Amino acid sequence: FINTTMINNVGPGLALQGWEGQYVQIYNSVIWGNDPISIAVDGEIGVDVQYSDIQGGWAGEGNFNANPLIILSNGEVLLDIDSPCIDTGNISFLPSDFYDLDADGDVVELLPLDLLGGIRIRGTTVDVGPIEFQNPYCIGDLNGDAVVNVSDLLLVIDQWGNVDSPADINGDGIVNVSDLLEVVGHWGACM
């Protein structure tokens, strides 16, 4: 389970059953609000949990036990601006873009999009959960660092010619010179 959210279930958030030699990995995930327990393990199955927000806690590198401050909106599981899940995941657990979700021809890059099609890494590292926190919108700020600069310019160039890309700033359906001009026109710190 990578960048997964399991919340508000009647019963365990994740029920695992198995024997010695079987192994489950849970990375960059949220397991919260499940009753009576977050993770139930039956048998000798190995469980490796890292960089995850687990209610009640769980041993493992980068794990924490803090209310994820989740917002449920129109069937989406979003993070509040003060969520402890923002920028606390581990980028090395992201899979490669095997299906070329951003249509850039690069299937070995790290997964570039989140569950909703937004840019997967908008801050310093990947968020915990399937949907990346989207900073309040700033035209041209494609990486979510609240500054429109050369990093955003390079993202537009990287997505050049793609359709249905987050780098299509002006929404005309293709990443082109118009989007490049949007970045240049909004250069500097976001207000």
Side-chain angles (χ1 to χ4, degrees):
F1 298 89
I2 301 172
N3 288 96
T4 304
T5 296
M6 294 166 256
I7 59 169
N8 301 337
N9 292 293
V10 175
L14 187 59
L16 304 171
Q17 184 176 23
W19 50 88
E20 189 174 342
Q22 292 183 316
Y23 201 69
V24 174
Q25 297 168 317
I26 304 165
Y27 303 142
N28 297 340
S29 295
V30 176
I31 304 178
W32 198 269
N34 304 289
D35 186 28
I37 192 169
S38 294
I39 302 174
V41 179
D42 184 18
E44 298 297 318
I45 189 169
V47 182
D48 181 26
V49 182
Q50 295 184 44
Y51 293 89
S52 294
D53 187 4
I54 310 296
Q55 185 173 16
W58 195 274
E61 185 177 346
N63 291 339
F64 55 100
N65 175 20
N67 186 332
L69 301 178
I70 289 174
I71 301 168
L72 301 174
S73 175
N74 298 320
E76 298 171 357
V77 180
L78 307 173
L79 298 175
D80 182 81
I81 192 167
D82 294 319
S83 173
C85 296
I86 298 170
D87 290 338
T88 54
N90 185 326
I91 193 171
S92 69
F93 294 127
L94 283 179
S96 64
D97 188 18
F98 182 75
Y99 294 105
D100 196 19
L101 297 178
D102 59 352
D104 66 355
D106 186 354
V107 296
V108 296
E109 68 182 331
L110 292 179
L111 191 66
L113 304 176
D114 70 6
L115 182 65
L116 298 178
I119 293 174
R120 179 68 261 195
I121 301 171
R122 296 217 29 122
T124 58
T125 190
V126 66
D127 292 350
V128 171
I131 300 171
E132 196 78 4
F133 174 73
Q134 305 297 316
N135 287 334
Y137 188 69
C138 174
I139 296 173
D141 180 23
L142 296 174
N143 65 357
D145 65 358
V147 178
V148 179
N149 59 21
V150 70
S151 298
D152 305 296
L153 187 68
L154 291 173
L155 287 170
V156 168
I157 292 168
D158 182 60
Q159 295 291 306
W160 200 268
N162 288 339
V163 295
D164 297 323
S165 169
D168 178 19
I169 299 167
N170 68 352
D172 66 357
I174 189 166
V175 179
N176 57 22
V177 71
S178 299
D179 304 299
L180 187 92
L181 292 173
E182 289 286 346
V183 169
V184 172
H186 293 91
W187 201 267
C190 297
M191 300 294 173

